Amino acid sequence: MAEMEEIFLRAKHQTFSGLTEDAERKWTGPFCFIQAADPQLGLMKAWREGDCDGGGDEWAEEVELMKQTVEAVNRLRPRPRFMVLCGDLVHAMPGTPFREGQEQDLKDALKGTDPSIPLVFVSGNHDLGNTPTPSTVEQYCRAWGDDYFSFWVGGVLCLVLNSQLFYDASACPQLKEAQETWLEAQLSRASSSSSTEPKPKHILVFQHIPLYLKSPDEEDDYFNLQKDVRQRLMDRFKRAVCISQV
């Protein structure tokens, strides 16, 4: 049982066991991976009843869809190098009814994933709360691993970010600062010209809240990051990529 639980806790100390730089820094050619998001167990009934602020007391539909997804992923050839779930793993917010049951049922559905396909988890607002706190972040990390970290796959550097810290970190400013410091170090390392540390072939960033939906200069919306935050992030990402390509 302990070994099975480990598949959900591979992100520790801002790295990901099995997909480390030492093992995966060399470019080995194209590969595929699965990017999914918002399994959000409990949402479907809550949405139908017009009570999306509630936790949703039924989630059998979502469990069945997740099981079908796992079966489809397992049939893919070549096998995906990993599957990443980009947040809102469950619908029930931290500290609300049904949260524990939704998390456990999602884990039970995901346990059918072929062991050769690592599961990567990204935190969303339903996982941490719209305004995360040190307590809600800690709860998430106990259940799903670190809320931000990096991993490597075949010469590609992947960064998993906690986008709620960009959206509203008013209740946990120290956590926001820690992620900012870590991210700057990651981007600086990726653009380093050191001959002893090869640059990544590509850099992928995974987060729950997208920078924008259609256009970088679009207005603020519930489903995107604020314009000033988004522009700063885009500038940092672009700078890192441009330097790494020189």
Side-chain angles (χ1 to χ4, degrees):
M1 182 66 176
E3 290 183 4
M4 184 59 73
E5 286 301 314
E6 280 299 307
I7 69 174
F8 304 112
L9 296 172
R10 296 179 66 173
K12 294 180 179 180
H13 310 297
Q14 275 66 64
T15 61
F16 191 92
S17 64
L19 295 177
T20 63
E21 181 177 4
D22 287 345
E24 294 281 346
R25 73 171 64 183
K26 184 178 179 181
W27 171 248
T28 56
F31 60 85
C32 67
F33 64 90
I34 301 297
Q35 189 270 335
D38 298 74
Q40 207 158 340
L41 272 61
L43 173 64
M44 296 178 76
K45 181 183 178 183
W47 185 272
R48 284 196 300 268
E49 295 185 348
D51 181 24
C52 291
D53 292 331
D57 60 351
E58 295 179 11
W59 51 89
E61 292 175 89
E62 292 94 322
V63 168
E64 181 58 31
L65 289 171
M66 194 72 254
K67 289 180 177 178
Q68 292 176 19
T69 299
V70 167
E71 293 173 358
V73 169
N74 287 344
R75 290 194 297 267
L76 291 174
R77 297 294 185 277
R79 286 212 186 281
R81 288 298 314 273
F82 63 91
M83 177 164 71
V84 57
L85 276 70
C86 285
D88 281 2
L89 306 177
V90 298
H91 184 60
M93 289 283 194
T96 63
F98 315 120
R99 169 79 173 211
E100 185 175 342
Q102 290 175 6
E103 286 191 327
Q104 187 56 57
D105 285 351
L106 176 59
K107 287 183 176 182
D108 288 343
L110 288 169
K111 286 175 182 176
T113 307
D114 189 283
S116 68
I117 306 173
L119 296 172
V120 179
F121 300 101
V122 181
S123 60
N125 60 304
H126 279 263
D127 306 309
L128 303 172
N130 289 319
T131 302
T133 68
S135 176
T136 63
V137 173
E138 181 184 7
Q139 291 170 22
Y140 171 85
C141 293
R142 285 201 306 266
W144 302 103
D146 286 352
D147 56 320
Y148 63 91
F149 55 94
S150 65
F151 64 99
W152 288 71
V153 181
V156 175
L157 171 62
C158 301
L159 303 177
V160 170
L161 304 180
N162 179 346
S163 56
Q164 289 307 124
L165 297 180
F166 299 131
Y167 191 80
D168 182 2
S170 58
C172 55
Q174 295 92 342
L175 297 183
K176 176 183 179 181
E177 182 61 30
Q179 177 174 250
E180 292 283 357
T181 300
W182 172 86
L183 177 58
E184 192 60 36
Q186 292 292 309
L187 295 177
S188 176
R189 159 66 184 87
S191 60
S192 171
S193 59
S194 171
S195 59
T196 60
E197 296 182 334
K199 298 174 184 176
K201 180 71 172 179
H202 304 287
I203 304 173
L204 303 179
V205 178
F206 300 104
Q207 60 188 56
H208 179 64
I209 306 175
L211 297 175
Y212 56 87
L213 300 179
K214 295 182 179 180
S215 171
D217 59 355
E218 68 192 21
E219 294 302 316
D220 294 353
D221 184 87
Y222 177 78
F223 295 105
N224 62 21
L225 285 178
Q226 301 95 322
K227 289 179 74 172
D228 59 333
V229 174
R230 142 187 5 147
Q231 189 60 56
R232 286 198 300 270
L233 280 171
M234 288 191 297
D235 289 344
R236 293 168 74 183
F237 295 152
K238 183 178 179 180
R239 187 162 57 247
V241 172
C242 289
I243 293 175
S244 69
Q245 290 177 342
V246 173

